[in-house]
């Protein structure tokens, strides 16, 4: 293998730049040509491809977002779009592709490889932490810390006003951002799609907390469960306690990556290139029990993500 390409696809995540840097510099250190592809799979189809040097990735390890830009490509979802992409990859001599993104991006990579024999390796880059085969995805830790910072600030104002505060966080159908930030932030209640939730019990907890002398209640709500505004109205109606809703939105996707995300991205980026050099394809890189692993892409995509019941119960006990 002489030339590889790297792209970021789907929602951006802090640490993607650190992963790009690792791919480029590991590639160059092993005598490869590394091509940067802009705007995800659209960039292949449109030929937005340029040769990267060591200095193309200087001064980016600390930056959120992705210097390669990102997109969710509709055209690449079609067989025709992937055929076009393959033809462009051939023109640029790209034999191996590193795809940094989530499950949708991995599915695209797998199809491109099945249909046209391109060698692909995936790196999990998404704040959602919704991929079952890996303990962590790049960007998740930074997002959790961003939520935590917001929780700390909301605690101040909630305590002053003795209010209930609901924080709605991202994660799509996965509740990990809510669960981790909820435990770390000492939330009174965590509402996530993976765990049943009882509105009456939630109101009881709020009323009992107040009776025990707690100055405020903090509820972390995963977006996969539903709207914070509606919930705030219902809680206020039943408990009589002033309730405010805060939707953190895309703030969670930005910011300088944490040390954890930078190290994870550096290790995963390097491993992805090593796999291509070993002639491997259709692999995804992950981390399990602190060790970098790789796995078959089809198997990884078929795994069902489970939520951490222990953490959920622990958060409940500790917030009592
Ligand atoms: O997958 C990352 C994510 O931020 C999800 O948590 C969220 O549901 C979605 O992307 C938002 O997508 P968009 O940036 O297209 O609004």
């Amino acid at each position: 293998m002489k030339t590889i390409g790297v792209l970021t696809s789907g929602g951006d995540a802090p640490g993607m730049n650190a992963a790009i840097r690792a791919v480029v510099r590991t590639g160059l250190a092993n005598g490869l040509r590394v091509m940067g592809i802009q705007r995800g799979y659209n960039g292949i189809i449109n030929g937005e491809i340029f040769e990267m040097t060591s200095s193309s990735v200087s001064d980016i390890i600390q930056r959120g977002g992705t210097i390669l830009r990102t997109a969710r490509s509709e055209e690449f979802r079609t067989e025709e779009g992937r055929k076009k992409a393959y033809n462009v990859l051939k023109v640029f001599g790209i034999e191996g592709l590193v795809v940094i993104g989530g499950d949708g991006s991995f599915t695209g990579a797998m199809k491109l490889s099945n249909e046209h024999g391109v060698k692909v390796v995936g790196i999990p880059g998404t704040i959602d932490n919704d991929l079952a085969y890996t303990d962590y995805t790049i960007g998740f830790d930074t997002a959790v810390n961003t939520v935590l910072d917001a929780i700390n600030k909301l605690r101040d104002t909630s305590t002053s006003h003795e209010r209930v505060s609901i924080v709605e966080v991202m994660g799509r159908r996965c509740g990990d951002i809510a669960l981790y930030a909820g435990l770390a932030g000492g939330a009174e209640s965590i509402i996530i799609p993976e765990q049943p939730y009882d509105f009456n019990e939630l109101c009881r907890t709020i009323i009992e907390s107040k009776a025990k002398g707690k100055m405020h209640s903090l509820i972390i709500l995963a977006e996969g469960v539903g709207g914070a505004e509606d919930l705030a109205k219902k809680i206020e109606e039943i408990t009589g306690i002033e309730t405010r809703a805060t939707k953190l939105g895309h703030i969670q996707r930005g910011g300088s990556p944490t040390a954890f995300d930078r190290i994870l991205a550096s290790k995963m980026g390097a491993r992805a290139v090593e796999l291509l050099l070993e002639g491997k394809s259709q692999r995804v890189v992950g981390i399990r029990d602190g060790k970098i692993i790789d796995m078959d892409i089809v198997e990884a995509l078929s795994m069902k993500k489970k939520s951490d019941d222990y953490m959920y119960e622990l958060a409940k006990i500790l917030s009592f």
Side-chain angles (χ1 to χ4, degrees):
M1 180 158 308
K2 289 196 179 73
T3 307
I4 63 169
V6 57
L7 61 83
T8 47
S9 162
D12 63 347
M16 278 184 162
N17 280 330
I20 296 167
R21 173 179 177 269
V23 169
V24 171
R25 291 194 172 159
T26 308
L28 295 176
N30 284 282
L32 293 173
R33 254 177 108 213
V34 185
M35 309 301 282
I37 300 163
Q38 289 180 308
R39 299 177 183 83
Y41 291 116
N42 282 341
I44 308 182
I45 294 168
N46 302 327
E48 294 180 279
I49 300 172
F50 65 100
E51 186 162 352
M52 298 187 85
T53 62
S54 184
S55 61
S56 336
V57 290
S58 291
D59 202 26
I60 65 167
I61 196 167
Q62 78 285 10
R63 278 161 54 190
T66 158
I67 58 158
L68 291 176
R69 312 284 173 255
T70 187
R72 295 187 173 105
S73 174
E74 282 310 315
E75 197 175 356
F76 194 77
R77 285 180 202 275
T78 65
E79 248 184 82
E80 218 172 278
R82 290 190 294 274
K83 175 101 180 70
K84 261 196 214 170
Y86 170 61
N87 286 333
V88 176
L89 288 176
K90 258 198 322 198
V91 167
F92 283 86
I94 297 173
E95 301 146 280
L97 191 62
V98 177
V99 173
I100 308 169
D103 55 354
S105 311
F106 287 179
T107 304
M110 180 188 72
K111 288 186 176 164
L112 180 71
S113 182
N114 281 339
E115 289 161 7
H116 302 289
V118 178
K119 290 202 157 67
V120 294
V121 175
I123 296 178
T126 164
I127 62 163
D128 297 339
N129 209 35
D130 58 350
L131 294 165
Y133 79 93
T134 181
D135 291 344
Y136 297 107
T137 57
I138 296 167
F140 171 68
D141 185 65
T142 307
V144 168
N145 279 286
T146 301
V147 174
L148 199 56
D149 182 51
I151 290 176
N152 292 341
K153 288 177 174 142
L154 284 166
R155 271 178 174 284
D156 294 343
T157 168
S158 298
T159 305
S160 305
H161 288 265
E162 297 173 78
R163 281 173 173 159
V164 174
S165 196
I166 306 177
V167 187
E168 183 183 318
V169 301
M170 281 187 168
R172 237 177 254 278
R173 287 171 300 279
C174 179
D176 274 17
I177 296 179
L179 181 59
Y180 281 65
L183 178 61
E188 271 66 39
S189 303
I190 299 170
I191 308 175
I192 54 176
E194 299 89 341
Q195 301 283 351
Y197 115 88
D198 177 347
F199 178 69
N200 292 331
E201 191 191 315
L202 179 70
C203 290
R204 253 198 329 272
T205 309
I206 293 167
I207 294 165
E208 282 168 8
S209 291
K210 183 147 192 169
K212 270 193 300 193
K214 280 206 180 185
M215 305 307 269
H216 70 265
S217 277
L218 191 79
I219 300 167
I220 310 289
L221 174 70
E223 66 174 355
V225 180
E229 285 287 353
D230 282 352
L231 186 62
K233 276 196 202 107
K234 282 206 244 162
I235 290 174
E236 204 168 281
E237 228 171 77
I238 302 291
T239 64
I241 304 170
E242 261 194 323
T243 305
R244 294 287 186 268
T246 307
K247 186 172 174 169
L248 291 182
H250 287 80
I251 283 179
Q252 295 161 94
R253 287 245 294 268
S256 181
T258 57
F260 181 87
D261 274 332
R262 295 182 199 193
I263 292 166
L264 185 66
S266 300
K267 286 183 176 173
M268 285 182 169
R271 186 68 194 125
V273 175
E274 282 164 18
L275 287 166
L276 288 175
L277 286 165
E278 288 164 16
K280 307 246 172 74
S281 179
Q282 302 209 3
R283 307 293 292 174
V284 283
V285 182
I287 185 164
R288 246 188 253 154
D289 301 325
K291 290 211 166 57
I292 298 295
I293 53 126
D294 61 276
M295 183 172 194
D296 177 71
I297 199 164
V298 179
E299 206 184 328
L301 285 170
S302 70
M303 286 173 73
K304 259 197 123 39
K305 169 98 184 168
K306 281 197 226 92
S307 134
D308 190 329
D309 292 342
Y310 171 73
M311 261 180 86
Y312 182 76
E313 289 308 322
L314 182 65
K316 262 193 185 171
I317 293 166
L318 300 186
S319 69
F320 185 65

